């Protein structure tokens, strides 16, 4: 059926052939009777895309005609999902994530989180960039997802593409700007990529690195005797005050050590300097504020020329630049002196620009340039002309002063005092004085009106004036001390230049304070990234160590997150082997020179350690109470169960912690998932009081802690079991793992397959329950089996390894059943194999989110 037929007459006036599944005599296709909608539902549930497309067209046409189609909503929503999630078009994948992250509904937060995590690992940098953009959106929708989002940010910060850098730094600034530790290992990479990042990203990265540098490097001007050169003395500064300041500075200098700039500090300044030539004003302004806040005084001057160049731009750009220049000239007066004429006022300048230029000229004034600056003030020209000429100059001044009407406040008052001065200097200005006083008489400010009334009685005496008017000249022209000029930009330097807070002179929302310089230099080694050369590993023991130990800055290393441990690939139960591997990694890479004799000696040492460990373990077990040992029983995991790293031995300062989902019932609470945790003490001293504190759980989640481990001897391992109620979600359980000296923040995040427990159903029961979970509760996908999935045994093994399900006996297809641990909702899985390695996967579950994630995991397992 063509699209045009959808717009046929509602009463059946079209001569076209009968539509799919409809009786022509019953009315048009837009009839809202139940049968017609039922046919549309069948079309939407069809496996043919052409029928789905036709149904969608009809529904859109019905909506356009104002028909009620609300009962079709579930059938339409099911077709929102794309069969091929990893679409070959990166724009499609990015657009899908952009739309999903813009839906402000909390119920889809788990789906949004899953999509962001997938996009963060996408092959396309454009999709990864979109994932970074989606992170602040999800954080604003559900701030409790912060910990998981930080993990994604940490992963994206390690991205080496310039397209992602700016976006992930922006996400970092929005979500966790205080996690400065995430920047350490990526600092040098960001500095080197900066020149190739897009302009928007350059601004974000430069502002972030400015604050980072203020926390990690010393003040390069710490040994400067004065903030300004001695020749750059303030115009109205007191000589006595300067002498006192010089003495105080000299005393402080005697105690300071010579300053040596950190190479990473120099790297930042060197890589940002070329950006002063950028065509983007925001980039130039960002580099200028970086140099102002971070560079040595002798190098700051290079930004002056770039800022003066920006003053040839639009008035909006000029306004922002002059605001920052006015602040810079308070402490860096000398660097703008060569460009004094660039701040001269033009007749075409807006009023705000003129005021800012006057502010800059005032800040730049000193003994050498004051005559030049004064000549720029046009009022002096008028005074000079007024002294020498007649009535013509008076008319000129009156014409100029017609603009006085737009002035108010202290500006009008200053003109009033100027008129007073003119009144006593030249009597011909009487009309001008009266004009100004008349304006002040009706000013909105009562203080102006009072002052004008007072001045009028003094300088324009009348019959009612008192004797005080005789002394008006002495009152107004008496000798007075020089005025103390204080710029309104004096205290703005505590705001980061170029920021909105600096522009408004008030802290704006989301503003991050500019940190103070540290008193002592932090450890620069935190920015070192060591990448071991595995190509040199040749011996058997080195190859084993390559499997056991990961690079120091691997993506999977961290204090939290379910990173799969490589130890699960090695021989299980070999505690001495893991202990020796950790000892080797701490002693250096000397394995290249080790021969067979060294290996045999190490194996003997390992055997001795193993015997000692067994003896200590037997003694420890004898001392433990019966109920405590019952809770810490070791559940031997099957070969398909994966081990995950909870705490790396480097992060844990010798304490390594791994965990697995044992798939055994947790006897204290059957609604909890049993999590088996193994502690290994790789240090040479005892670890005491191992326990859990401050669990931070999502709403509804519960945790049952294991009993405290009083003592874990050096080189020993112990296994405990704890229970977690994940509420049928893959949200992470966050808590602190504590010893007697340290606390480590860790998290356990379950795969969706570990949230289930096997359910034993007959084939008839399976079909019966499956019939109850149709429609929106059923997800069906086609897939191509992997090369290794050649027989039924491999398929069953991979499905049960992915999810804790049991197979239904005597089923025609491969059918699996289970139920969620927390709520007991049934989860039914059917795999129908076909010719050519094709298969149909069907999951029936009341919880759609769990069903969607389970389909994806099983498809991935069977496609490998």
């Amino acid at each position: 059926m063509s699209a045009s037929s959808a717009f046929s007459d509602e009463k059946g006036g079209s001569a076209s052939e009968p539509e799919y599944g409809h009786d022509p005599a019953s009315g048009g296709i837009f009839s809202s009777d139940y049968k017609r909608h039922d046919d549309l539902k069948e079309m939407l549930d069809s496996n043919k895309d052409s029928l789905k497309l036709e149904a969608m067209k009809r529904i859109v046409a019905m909506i356009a005609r104002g028909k009620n189609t609300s009962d079709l909503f579930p059938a339409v929503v099911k077709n929102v999902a794309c069969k091929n999630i990893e679409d070959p078009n990166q724009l499609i994948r990015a657009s899908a994530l952009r739309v999903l992250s813009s839906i402000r509904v909390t119920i889809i937060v788990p789906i949004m989180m899953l999509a962001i995590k997938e996009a963060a690992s996408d092959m396309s940098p454009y999709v990864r960039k979109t994932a970074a953009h989606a992170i602040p959106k999800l954080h604003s929708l559900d701030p409790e997802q912060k910990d998981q989002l930080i993990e994604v940010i940490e992963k994206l910060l390690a991205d080496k593409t310039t397209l992602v850098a700016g976006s992930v730094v922006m996400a970092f600034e929005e979500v966790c700007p205080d996690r400065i530790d995430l920047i350490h290992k990526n600092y040098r990479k960001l500095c080197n990529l900066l020149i190739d990042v897009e302009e928007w990203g350059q601004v974000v990265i430069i502002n972030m690195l400015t604050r980072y540098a203020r926390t990690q490097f010393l003040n390069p001007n710490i040994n400067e005797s004065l903030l300004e050169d001695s020749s750059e003395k303030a115009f109205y500064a007191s000589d006595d005050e300067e002498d006192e300041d010089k003495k105080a500075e000299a005393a402080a200098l005697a105690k300071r050590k010579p300053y040596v700039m950190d190479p990473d500090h120099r790297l930042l300044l060197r890589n940002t300097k070329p950006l002063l030539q950028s065509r983007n004003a925001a980039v130039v302004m960002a580099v200028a504020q970086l140099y102002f806040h971070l560079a040595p005084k002798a190098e700051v001057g290079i930004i002056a020329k770039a800022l003066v160049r920006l003053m040839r731009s639009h008035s909006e750009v000029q306004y922002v630049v002059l605001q920052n220049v006015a602040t810079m000239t308070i402490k860096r007066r000398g660097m703008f002196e060569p460009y004094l004429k660039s701040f001269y006022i033009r007749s075409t300048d807006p009023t705000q620009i003129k005021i800012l230029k006057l502010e800059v000229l005032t800040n730049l004034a000193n003994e050498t340039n004051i005559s030049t600056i004064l000549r720029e003030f046009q009022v002096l020209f008028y005074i000079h002309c007024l002294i020498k000429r007649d009535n013509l100059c008076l008319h000129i001044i009156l014409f100029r002063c017609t603009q006085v009407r737009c002035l108010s406040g202290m500006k009008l008052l200053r003109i009033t005092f100027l008129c007073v001065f003119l009144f006593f200097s030249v009597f011909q200005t009487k009309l001008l004085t009266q004009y100004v006083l008349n304006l002040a008489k009706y000013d909105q400010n009562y203080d102006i009106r009072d002052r004008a009334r007072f001045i009028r009685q003094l300088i324009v005496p009348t019959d009612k004036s008192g004797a005080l008017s005789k002394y008006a000249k002495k009152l107004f022209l008496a000798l007075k001390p020089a005025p103390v000029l204080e710029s309104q930009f004096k205290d703005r330097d505590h705001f980061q230049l170029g920021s909105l807070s600096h522009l408004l002179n008030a802290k704006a929302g989301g503003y991050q304070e500019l940190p103070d310089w540290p008193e002592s230099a932090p450890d620069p080694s935190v920015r070192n990234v060591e990448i071991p050369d595995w190509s040199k590993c040749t011996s058997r023991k080195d190859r084993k160590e390559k499997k056991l130990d990961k690079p120091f800055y691997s993506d999977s290393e961290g204090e939290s997150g379910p990173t799969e441990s490589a130890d699960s690939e090695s021989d299980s139960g070999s505690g001495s082997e893991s202990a020796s591997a950790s000892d080797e990694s701490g002693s250096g890479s000397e394995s290249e020179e080790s021969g067979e004799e060294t290996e045999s000696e190490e194996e003997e040492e390992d055997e001795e350690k193993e015997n000692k460990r067994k003896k200590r373990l037997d003694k420890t077990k004898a001392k433990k109470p019966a109920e405590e040992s019952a809770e810490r029983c070791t559940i031997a995991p099957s070969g398909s169960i994966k081990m995950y790293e909870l705490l790396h031995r480097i992060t844990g300062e010798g304490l390594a912690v791994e965990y697995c989902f044992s798939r055994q019932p947790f006897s204290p609470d059957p609604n909890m998932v049993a999590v088996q945790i193994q502690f290994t003490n790789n240090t040479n001293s005892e670890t005491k009081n191992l326990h859990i504190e401050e669990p931070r759980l999502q709403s509804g989640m519960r945790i049952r802690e294991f009993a405290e481990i009083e003592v874990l001897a050096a080189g020993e391992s112990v296994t405990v079991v704890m229970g977690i109620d994940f509420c049928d979600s893959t949200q992470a359980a966050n808590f602190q793992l504590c010893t007697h000296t340290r606390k480590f923040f860790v998290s356990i995040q379950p795969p969706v397959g570990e949230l289930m427990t096997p359910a034993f159903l007959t084939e008839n029961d399976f079909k019966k329950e499956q019939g109850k979970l149709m429609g929106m509760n059923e997800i069906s996908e086609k897939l191509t089996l992997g090369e290794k999935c050649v027989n039924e045994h491999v398929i069953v093994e991979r499905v049960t390894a992915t999810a804790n399900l049991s197979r239904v006996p005597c089923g025609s297809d491969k059918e699996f059943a289970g139920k969620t641990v927390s709520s007991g909702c049934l989860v039914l899985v059917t795999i129908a194999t076909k010719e050519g390695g094709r298969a149909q996967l069907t999951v029936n579950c009341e919880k759609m989110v769990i069903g969607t994630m389970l389909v994806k995991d099983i498809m991935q397992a069977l496609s490998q």
Side-chain angles (χ1 to χ4, degrees), residues 276 284 288 291 299-311 321 325 328 332 334-339 342-343:
L276 287 173
V284 177
Y291 264 77
E299 301 179 19
V300 180
I302 64 173
I303 68 174
K305 185 176 182 180
L307 293 177
V308 170
R309 174 173 60 87
L310 295 182
M311 292 179 60
V321 172
V325 171
M328 293 180 185
R332 297 286 187 268
M335 67 181 187
F336 287 101
E337 278 192 3
Y339 309 97
S342 299
F343 301 103

Coordinates of all heavy atoms in Angstrom, one line a residue, residues 276 284 288 291 299-311 321 325 328 332 334-339 342-343:
L276 N 48.2 32.2 21.1 CA 48.0 33.6 21.1 C 47.7 34.2 19.7 O 47.2 35.3 19.6 CB 49.2 34.3 21.8 CG 49.3 34.2 23.3 CD1 50.7 34.8 23.7 CD2 48.2 34.8 24.0
V284 N 42.4 33.2 22.6 CA 43.4 34.1 23.0 C 43.2 34.6 24.4 O 44.2 34.7 25.2 CB 43.4 35.3 22.0 CG1 44.4 36.4 22.4 CG2 43.7 34.9 20.6
A288 N 45.8 34.2 27.5 CA 46.2 35.4 28.2 C 46.0 35.2 29.7 O 46.9 35.6 30.5 CB 45.4 36.6 27.7
Y291 N 48.7 32.8 31.2 CA 50.0 33.4 31.4 C 49.9 34.4 32.5 O 50.9 34.5 33.3 CB 50.4 34.1 30.1 CG 51.3 33.3 29.2 CD1 50.8 32.3 28.4 CD2 52.7 33.5 29.2 CE1 51.7 31.5 27.6 CE2 53.6 32.8 28.4 CZ 53.0 31.8 27.6 OH 53.9 31.0 26.9
E299 N 57.8 37.0 31.4 CA 57.2 36.4 30.2 C 55.7 36.8 30.0 O 55.2 36.5 28.9 CB 57.3 34.8 30.3 CG 58.7 34.3 30.4 CD 58.7 32.8 30.5 OE1 57.7 32.2 30.2 OE2 59.7 32.3 31.0
V300 N 55.2 37.4 30.9 CA 53.7 37.8 30.8 C 53.5 38.8 29.7 O 52.4 38.9 29.1 CB 53.2 38.3 32.2 CG1 51.7 38.7 32.0 CG2 53.4 37.3 33.2
G301 N 54.5 39.6 29.4 CA 54.3 40.7 28.5 C 54.0 40.3 27.1 O 53.4 41.1 26.3
I302 N 54.2 39.0 26.7 CA 53.9 38.6 25.3 C 52.4 38.6 25.1 O 51.9 38.6 23.9 CB 54.4 37.2 25.1 CG1 53.8 36.2 26.0 CG2 55.9 37.2 25.2 CD1 54.2 34.8 25.6
I303 N 51.5 38.6 26.1 CA 50.1 38.6 25.9 C 49.5 39.9 25.6 O 48.4 40.0 25.1 CB 49.4 38.0 27.1 CG1 49.4 38.9 28.3 CG2 49.9 36.6 27.5 CD1 48.6 38.5 29.5
A304 N 50.3 41.0 25.8 CA 49.8 42.4 25.6 C 49.4 42.6 24.2 O 48.4 43.1 23.8 CB 50.8 43.4 26.1
K305 N 50.3 42.2 23.3 CA 50.1 42.5 21.9 C 48.9 41.7 21.3 O 48.1 42.3 20.5 CB 51.4 42.1 21.1 CG 51.3 42.4 19.6 CD 52.6 42.1 18.9 CE 52.5 42.5 17.4 NZ 53.8 42.1 16.7
A306 N 48.7 40.5 21.8 CA 47.6 39.7 21.4 C 46.3 40.3 21.9 O 45.3 40.3 21.1 CB 47.7 38.3 21.9
L307 N 46.2 40.8 23.1 CA 45.0 41.5 23.6 C 44.7 42.8 22.9 O 43.5 43.1 22.7 CB 45.2 41.7 25.1 CG 45.2 40.4 26.0 CD1 45.4 40.8 27.4 CD2 43.9 39.6 25.8
V308 N 45.7 43.5 22.6 CA 45.5 44.8 21.9 C 45.0 44.5 20.5 O 44.1 45.2 20.0 CB 46.8 45.6 21.8 CG1 46.7 46.7 20.8 CG2 47.3 46.1 23.1
R309 N 45.4 43.4 19.9 CA 44.9 43.0 18.6 C 43.4 42.7 18.7 O 42.6 43.0 17.7 CB 45.6 41.7 18.1 CG 45.0 41.2 16.8 CD 45.9 40.1 16.2 NE 46.0 39.0 17.2 CZ 45.2 37.9 17.3 NH1 44.2 37.9 16.4 NH2 45.4 37.0 18.1
L310 N 42.9 42.1 19.8 CA 41.5 41.8 19.9 C 40.6 43.1 20.1 O 39.4 43.1 19.8 CB 41.3 41.0 21.2 CG 41.8 39.6 21.1 CD1 41.5 38.8 22.4 CD2 41.4 38.8 19.9
M311 N 41.3 44.2 20.4 CA 40.5 45.5 20.6 C 40.1 46.0 19.2 O 39.3 47.0 19.2 CB 41.3 46.5 21.3 CG 41.5 46.1 22.8 SD 42.5 47.3 23.7 CE 41.5 48.7 23.5
V321 N 37.5 42.2 26.7 CA 39.0 42.3 26.7 C 39.4 43.5 27.6 O 40.3 43.3 28.5 CB 39.5 42.5 25.3 CG1 41.0 42.9 25.3 CG2 39.3 41.2 24.5
V325 N 41.9 43.6 30.8 CA 43.1 44.4 30.7 C 43.1 45.4 31.9 O 44.1 45.7 32.5 CB 43.1 45.2 29.4 CG1 44.2 46.3 29.4 CG2 43.4 44.3 28.2
M328 N 44.4 43.5 34.7 CA 45.9 43.2 34.6 C 46.7 44.4 34.8 O 47.8 44.3 35.4 CB 46.1 42.7 33.1 CG 45.5 41.4 32.8 SD 45.9 40.9 31.1 CE 45.0 39.4 31.0
R332 N 50.2 44.5 36.6 CA 51.2 44.4 35.5 C 51.1 45.6 34.6 O 50.8 45.6 33.4 CB 50.8 43.1 34.6 CG 51.0 41.8 35.4 CD 52.4 41.4 35.6 NE 52.6 40.1 36.1 CZ 52.6 39.8 37.4 NH1 52.6 40.8 38.3 NH2 52.7 38.6 37.8
G334 N 53.3 47.7 33.5 CA 54.4 48.0 32.5 C 54.1 47.3 31.2 O 54.6 47.9 30.2
M335 N 53.5 46.2 31.1 CA 53.4 45.5 29.9 C 52.5 46.1 28.8 O 52.5 45.8 27.7 CB 53.0 44.0 30.1 CG 51.6 43.8 30.6 SD 51.3 42.1 30.8 CE 49.5 42.0 31.2
F336 N 51.6 47.0 29.3 CA 50.7 47.7 28.4 C 51.1 49.1 28.1 O 50.5 49.8 27.3 CB 49.3 47.7 28.9 CG 48.6 46.4 28.9 CD1 48.5 45.6 30.0 CD2 48.0 45.9 27.7 CE1 47.9 44.4 30.0 CE2 47.4 44.7 27.7 CZ 47.3 43.9 28.8
E337 N 52.2 49.6 28.7 CA 52.6 51.0 28.4 C 53.0 51.2 26.9 O 52.7 52.3 26.4 CB 53.8 51.3 29.3 CG 53.4 51.8 30.7 CD 54.5 52.4 31.5 OE1 55.6 52.5 30.9 OE2 54.3 52.8 32.6
P338 N 53.7 50.3 26.2 CA 54.0 50.5 24.8 C 52.8 50.7 23.9 O 52.9 51.2 22.8 CB 54.8 49.3 24.4 CG 55.3 48.7 25.7 CD 54.3 49.0 26.7
Y339 N 51.6 50.2 24.4 CA 50.4 50.3 23.6 C 49.4 51.3 24.2 O 48.2 51.2 24.1 CB 49.7 48.9 23.6 CG 50.7 47.8 23.2 CD1 51.3 47.0 24.1 CD2 51.0 47.6 21.8 CE1 52.2 46.0 23.8 CE2 51.8 46.6 21.4 CZ 52.4 45.8 22.4 OH 53.3 44.8 22.0
S342 N 46.6 52.8 22.0 CA 45.5 51.9 21.7 C 44.3 52.0 22.6 O 43.2 51.6 22.2 CB 46.0 50.4 21.7 OG 47.1 50.2 20.8
F343 N 44.5 52.7 23.7 CA 43.4 52.9 24.6 C 42.8 54.3 24.6 O 42.0 54.7 25.4 CB 43.9 52.6 26.1 CG 44.4 51.2 26.2 CD1 45.8 51.0 26.3 CD2 43.5 50.1 26.3 CE1 46.3 49.7 26.4 CE2 44.0 48.8 26.4 CZ 45.4 48.6 26.5

